[in-house]
PDB file of all heavy atoms in Angstrom:
ATOM      1  N   LEU A 188     -38.297  15.135   8.958  1.00 98.00           N
ATOM      2  CA  LEU A 188     -39.025  16.383   8.773  1.00 98.00           C
ATOM      3  C   LEU A 188     -38.129  17.587   9.058  1.00 98.00           C
ATOM      4  O   LEU A 188     -37.371  17.592  10.033  1.00 98.00           O
ATOM      5  CB  LEU A 188     -40.230  16.399   9.727  1.00 98.00           C
ATOM      6  CG  LEU A 188     -41.386  17.359   9.444  1.00 98.00           C
ATOM      7  CD1 LEU A 188     -42.029  17.056   8.093  1.00 98.00           C
ATOM      8  CD2 LEU A 188     -42.428  17.244  10.560  1.00 98.00           C
ATOM      9  N   LEU A 189     -38.206  18.607   8.220  1.00 98.00           N
ATOM     10  CA  LEU A 189     -37.456  19.845   8.404  1.00 98.00           C
ATOM     11  C   LEU A 189     -38.366  20.884   9.042  1.00 98.00           C
ATOM     12  O   LEU A 189     -39.477  21.118   8.563  1.00 98.00           O
ATOM     13  CB  LEU A 189     -36.933  20.360   7.058  1.00 98.00           C
ATOM     14  CG  LEU A 189     -36.163  19.356   6.201  1.00 98.00           C
ATOM     15  CD1 LEU A 189     -35.642  20.032   4.932  1.00 98.00           C
ATOM     16  CD2 LEU A 189     -35.009  18.729   6.971  1.00 98.00           C
ATOM     17  N   LEU A 190     -37.877  21.509  10.125  1.00 98.00           N
ATOM     18  CA  LEU A 190     -38.736  22.364  10.941  1.00 98.00           C
ATOM     19  C   LEU A 190     -38.081  23.709  11.191  1.00 98.00           C
ATOM     20  O   LEU A 190     -36.911  23.779  11.600  1.00 98.00           O
ATOM     21  CB  LEU A 190     -39.026  21.640  12.262  1.00 98.00           C
ATOM     22  CG  LEU A 190     -39.967  22.280  13.277  1.00 98.00           C
ATOM     23  CD1 LEU A 190     -40.715  21.189  14.051  1.00 98.00           C
ATOM     24  CD2 LEU A 190     -39.211  23.157  14.276  1.00 98.00           C
ATOM     25  N   ASP A 191     -38.808  24.768  10.946  1.00 98.00           N
ATOM     26  CA  ASP A 191     -38.349  26.127  11.231  1.00 98.00           C
ATOM     27  C   ASP A 191     -38.411  26.348  12.741  1.00 98.00           C
ATOM     28  O   ASP A 191     -39.492  26.292  13.343  1.00 98.00           O
ATOM     29  CB  ASP A 191     -39.261  27.129  10.507  1.00 98.00           C
ATOM     30  CG  ASP A 191     -38.772  28.574  10.637  1.00 98.00           C
ATOM     31  OD1 ASP A 191     -37.929  28.857  11.502  1.00 98.00           O
ATOM     32  OD2 ASP A 191     -39.244  29.420   9.854  1.00 98.00           O
ATOM     33  N   MET A 192     -37.263  26.611  13.372  1.00 98.00           N
ATOM     34  CA  MET A 192     -37.217  26.731  14.829  1.00 98.00           C
ATOM     35  C   MET A 192     -37.840  28.024  15.337  1.00 98.00           C
ATOM     36  O   MET A 192     -37.997  28.202  16.555  1.00 98.00           O
ATOM     37  CB  MET A 192     -35.776  26.591  15.326  1.00 98.00           C
ATOM     38  CG  MET A 192     -35.213  25.200  15.126  1.00 98.00           C
ATOM     39  SD  MET A 192     -33.613  24.944  15.921  1.00 98.00           S
ATOM     40  CE  MET A 192     -34.095  24.926  17.654  1.00 98.00           C
ATOM     41  N   LYS A 193     -38.196  28.921  14.426  1.00 97.00           N
ATOM     42  CA  LYS A 193     -38.889  30.143  14.837  1.00 97.00           C
ATOM     43  C   LYS A 193     -40.407  29.959  14.823  1.00 97.00           C
ATOM     44  O   LYS A 193     -41.161  30.903  15.106  1.00 97.00           O
ATOM     45  CB  LYS A 193     -38.494  31.300  13.915  1.00 97.00           C
ATOM     46  CG  LYS A 193     -37.011  31.623  13.928  1.00 97.00           C
ATOM     47  CD  LYS A 193     -36.683  32.773  12.974  1.00 97.00           C
ATOM     48  CE  LYS A 193     -35.186  33.057  12.929  1.00 97.00           C
ATOM     49  NZ  LYS A 193     -34.409  31.922  12.378  1.00 97.00           N
ATOM     50  N   SER A 194     -40.852  28.759  14.516  1.00 98.00           N
ATOM     51  CA  SER A 194     -42.286  28.484  14.465  1.00 98.00           C
ATOM     52  C   SER A 194     -42.919  28.606  15.848  1.00 98.00           C
ATOM     53  O   SER A 194     -42.291  28.262  16.856  1.00 98.00           O
ATOM     54  CB  SER A 194     -42.536  27.067  13.936  1.00 98.00           C
ATOM     55  OG  SER A 194     -41.984  26.884  12.658  1.00 98.00           O
ATOM     56  N   PRO A 195     -44.164  29.087  15.930  1.00 98.00           N
ATOM     57  CA  PRO A 195     -44.871  29.104  17.217  1.00 98.00           C
ATOM     58  C   PRO A 195     -44.954  27.704  17.808  1.00 98.00           C
ATOM     59  O   PRO A 195     -45.217  26.734  17.085  1.00 98.00           O
ATOM     60  CB  PRO A 195     -46.263  29.639  16.841  1.00 98.00           C
ATOM     61  CG  PRO A 195     -46.055  30.402  15.575  1.00 98.00           C
ATOM     62  CD  PRO A 195     -44.969  29.678  14.838  1.00 98.00           C
ATOM     63  N   GLY A 196     -44.720  27.606  19.109  1.00 98.00           N
ATOM     64  CA  GLY A 196     -44.793  26.316  19.784  1.00 98.00           C
ATOM     65  C   GLY A 196     -43.449  25.642  19.996  1.00 98.00           C
ATOM     66  O   GLY A 196     -43.367  24.603  20.652  1.00 98.00           O
ATOM     67  N   VAL A 197     -42.370  26.221  19.446  1.00 98.00           N
ATOM     68  CA  VAL A 197     -41.027  25.673  19.665  1.00 98.00           C
ATOM     69  C   VAL A 197     -40.394  26.393  20.856  1.00 98.00           C
ATOM     70  O   VAL A 197     -40.299  27.619  20.876  1.00 98.00           O
ATOM     71  CB  VAL A 197     -40.132  25.849  18.417  1.00 98.00           C
ATOM     72  CG1 VAL A 197     -38.726  25.313  18.699  1.00 98.00           C
ATOM     73  CG2 VAL A 197     -40.733  25.138  17.214  1.00 98.00           C
ATOM     74  N   THR A 198     -39.953  25.621  21.854  1.00 98.00           N
ATOM     75  CA  THR A 198     -39.308  26.180  23.038  1.00 98.00           C
ATOM     76  C   THR A 198     -37.950  25.516  23.232  1.00 98.00           C
ATOM     77  O   THR A 198     -37.856  24.287  23.251  1.00 98.00           O
ATOM     78  CB  THR A 198     -40.157  25.954  24.305  1.00 98.00           C
ATOM     79  OG1 THR A 198     -41.445  26.543  24.115  1.00 98.00           O
ATOM     80  CG2 THR A 198     -39.488  26.584  25.524  1.00 98.00           C
ATOM     81  N   VAL A 199     -36.908  26.333  23.345  1.00 98.00           N
ATOM     82  CA  VAL A 199     -35.545  25.834  23.562  1.00 98.00           C
ATOM     83  C   VAL A 199     -35.122  26.189  24.985  1.00 98.00           C
ATOM     84  O   VAL A 199     -35.133  27.355  25.368  1.00 98.00           O
ATOM     85  CB  VAL A 199     -34.553  26.448  22.549  1.00 98.00           C
ATOM     86  CG1 VAL A 199     -33.139  25.914  22.790  1.00 98.00           C
ATOM     87  CG2 VAL A 199     -35.000  26.150  21.121  1.00 98.00           C
ATOM     88  N   ARG A 200     -34.750  25.189  25.767  1.00 98.00           N
ATOM     89  CA  ARG A 200     -34.300  25.402  27.140  1.00 98.00           C
ATOM     90  C   ARG A 200     -32.870  24.904  27.300  1.00 98.00           C
ATOM     91  O   ARG A 200     -32.544  23.797  26.865  1.00 98.00           O
ATOM     92  CB  ARG A 200     -35.208  24.666  28.128  1.00 98.00           C
ATOM     93  CG  ARG A 200     -36.647  25.166  28.149  1.00 98.00           C
ATOM     94  CD  ARG A 200     -37.472  24.402  29.167  1.00 98.00           C
ATOM     95  NE  ARG A 200     -38.886  24.769  29.097  1.00 98.00           N
ATOM     96  CZ  ARG A 200     -39.849  24.125  29.749  1.00 98.00           C
ATOM     97  NH1 ARG A 200     -39.540  23.087  30.517  1.00 98.00           N
ATOM     98  NH2 ARG A 200     -41.114  24.520  29.639  1.00 98.00           N
ATOM     99  N   PRO A 201     -32.010  25.701  27.946  1.00 97.00           N
ATOM    100  CA  PRO A 201     -30.608  25.301  28.088  1.00 97.00           C
ATOM    101  C   PRO A 201     -30.424  24.168  29.084  1.00 97.00           C
ATOM    102  O   PRO A 201     -31.161  24.044  30.068  1.00 97.00           O
ATOM    103  CB  PRO A 201     -29.933  26.581  28.585  1.00 97.00           C
ATOM    104  CG  PRO A 201     -31.021  27.325  29.297  1.00 97.00           C
ATOM    105  CD  PRO A 201     -32.274  27.036  28.530  1.00 97.00           C
ATOM    106  N   ILE A 202     -29.432  23.327  28.816  1.00 95.00           N
ATOM    107  CA  ILE A 202     -28.953  22.331  29.774  1.00 95.00           C
ATOM    108  C   ILE A 202     -27.533  22.739  30.147  1.00 95.00           C
ATOM    109  O   ILE A 202     -26.658  22.798  29.283  1.00 95.00           O
ATOM    110  CB  ILE A 202     -28.949  20.914  29.172  1.00 95.00           C
ATOM    111  CG1 ILE A 202     -30.363  20.487  28.774  1.00 95.00           C
ATOM    112  CG2 ILE A 202     -28.350  19.906  30.161  1.00 95.00           C
ATOM    113  CD1 ILE A 202     -30.418  19.149  28.052  1.00 95.00           C
ATOM    114  N   LYS A 203     -27.293  23.036  31.400  1.00 88.00           N
ATOM    115  CA  LYS A 203     -25.962  23.412  31.849  1.00 88.00           C
ATOM    116  C   LYS A 203     -25.110  22.157  32.044  1.00 88.00           C
ATOM    117  O   LYS A 203     -25.518  21.214  32.725  1.00 88.00           O
ATOM    118  CB  LYS A 203     -26.034  24.196  33.169  1.00 88.00           C
ATOM    119  CG  LYS A 203     -26.604  25.598  33.013  1.00 88.00           C
ATOM    120  CD  LYS A 203     -25.667  26.510  32.223  1.00 88.00           C
ATOM    121  CE  LYS A 203     -26.205  27.938  32.167  1.00 88.00           C
ATOM    122  NZ  LYS A 203     -25.303  28.834  31.418  1.00 88.00           N
ATOM    123  N   LEU A 204     -23.931  22.159  31.478  1.00 82.00           N
ATOM    124  CA  LEU A 204     -23.046  21.007  31.559  1.00 82.00           C
ATOM    125  C   LEU A 204     -22.177  21.051  32.811  1.00 82.00           C
ATOM    126  O   LEU A 204     -22.150  22.038  33.550  1.00 82.00           O
ATOM    127  CB  LEU A 204     -22.161  20.952  30.316  1.00 82.00           C
ATOM    128  CG  LEU A 204     -22.887  20.782  28.978  1.00 82.00           C
ATOM    129  CD1 LEU A 204     -21.882  20.725  27.840  1.00 82.00           C
ATOM    130  CD2 LEU A 204     -23.747  19.532  28.984  1.00 82.00           C
TER     131      LEU A 204
END
Side-chain angles (χ1 to χ4, degrees):
L188 199 61
L189 309 183
L190 183 148
D191 186 344
M192 293 189 71
K193 299 179 183 64
S194 302
V197 178
T198 302
V199 180
R200 296 181 186 171
I202 299 175
K203 289 292 184 179
L204 298 181

